[in-house]
Amino acid sequence: MAPDTPLTDSRKDGLSAELAALKARNRQLEKINAALIERVESSSPSPSAPYAAFEHAVLLADQVRERTDTLHRTLDELGALNRRLTAAKAAAEAANHSKTRFLAAISHDLLQPLNAARLFASALEEQLARLALDDPTPGDASPAELVARLGRSLADVESLLGTLVDISRLDAGVLTADVATFPVRELLDVLAEEYRQLGAARGLELHYVASHLSVESDLQLLARVIRNFLSNALRHVPDGSTRGRVLLGCRRRGDWLEITVADNGPGIAEHQREVVFQEFRRLAPRQDNEQRGLGLGLAIVKRITGLLEHPLSLASTPGRGAAFAVRVPIRQPANVMGPSADAPSTGQSCVSPLAQPLLDTVIWVIEDDREVCAGMQSLLEGWGASVHCADTAEVLLQQALAAPQVLIVDHQLGDGQPDGLAQAQRLRKRWPDLPVVVISADHSAPLKARARALGFGFLLKPVKPLRLRQLLVNHR
């Protein structure tokens, strides 16, 4: 083998230069690689190698899973809480409906004795008036005065109970309007006569401007509104040296009939005109303890007129009086009914259906409460009628009595008995033209509509004697 050839200086220099170039190239590549690695790893959440990024991702997944489980548990707890709240709400609503059903059920039992007492008081008052007692014991109140006080006390209790029932039905949303068309005089004539008598007892004057128009409304609810107006007016007009005056009047306003109750009392200041329609707010009290009530009358008026969609208004001048008005839609042209709707009435404006006698009118009464039956009989016989009472139509038929000219029937009779409307229909089969007046403590619109569809008159308990007499005279 030949020995190695010794390197020349030039050859050495060339290799050294080539080695230096390779080392420089290697350093450059290492820098590039380091830069690439740094760039890749800088994009991961950890400064470590890509494996650290993988570990971090696994950790994040575990945290997401744990938080998801926590969220599901929270949602389950919220669902359980929501179910408990729903159950509590349902229980509260059930309790509210139960309260409403209780009030509806108890109203009949509460109003029965009041109804009987009112009938007895009215019958006794008329008997005393006929006897014209003029020899009372000195210093003692006369029997007529005692009866009048009894009547006012019963009216106060009736008003309070009526307010309680009205506000509970309004709160529960179960009050529905039974809208029908009727002559407005059918309502206002009776109210005018009733409040004229109440005013006369206190030395107050009531003037009545009648209307021959027919309107569309719920007669019972509209009566509640006008009664509140009249009661407030009589309560706040002055008596004594200044003559108190109240006006109940009607005026046509386009397609509306405006029913107004005005007085010459102290009036209502501007800042109080909205307040008086709020619950438990009362106008300035009188100083003679005649102010009774819960401060709910005008609040009920506002809610009833809202339900009926009848515009309500109040005008007042402090020191000169106030005028409350409600507008009711007219449903019959004025010229159909004869006299002008705005024709004023005289001091004795009510047409005298109320004064027409019921002498010898045969009236059958179906009523299962003995006290109410006796009170009704006393009142009707005081008006000259021949009255026969029983708890069912069957009993009246078996007695072979004179044929009835008018039938008065209580709607809610004894257990197991057909209701009053059914019993009236039975008698109507024998006497097709028999006039019927239904009396009930049930305010429901379907019952009123059912009675109206059958052509029956309808009165709510406690019975207002003037209203009853008007119906009997009109139906006779």
Side-chain angles (χ1 to χ4, degrees), residues 199-257:
R202 287 183 44 211
L204 307 176
E205 296 179 359
L206 186 143
H207 299 275
Y208 173 37
V209 178
S211 170
H212 291 81
L213 291 172
S214 291
V215 296
E216 184 178 72
S217 185
D218 182 310
L219 189 146
Q220 304 293 343
L221 293 181
L222 184 59
R224 185 71 169 161
V225 170
I226 306 303
R227 282 183 183 280
N228 268 293
F229 289 168
L230 288 166
S231 296
N232 276 325
L234 291 183
R235 189 177 294 127
H236 293 94
V237 293
D239 50 11
S241 58
T242 303
R243 186 70 168 176
R245 295 185 299 276
V246 175
L247 168 69
L248 169 61
C250 300
R251 178 176 295 178
R252 182 163 190 163
R253 302 284 192 184
D255 294 332
W256 299 82
L257 183 67

Side-chain angles (χ1 to χ4, degrees), residues 8 52 80 88 141 155 183 187 251-253 277 281 288 306 324 381 430-431 441 464 476:
T8 64
L187 168 65
R251 178 176 295 178
R252 182 163 190 163
R253 302 284 192 184
F277 291 104
R281 296 300 185 100
D288 55 5
F324 290 88
E381 287 178 348
R430 184 164 181 175
W431 294 285
K464 306 267 187 311
R476 190 184 55 171

Side-chain angles (χ1 to χ4, degrees), residues 82-94:
N82 188 52
R83 287 190 293 272
R84 289 197 297 271
L85 289 174
T86 301
K89 181 182 177 183
E93 290 177 347

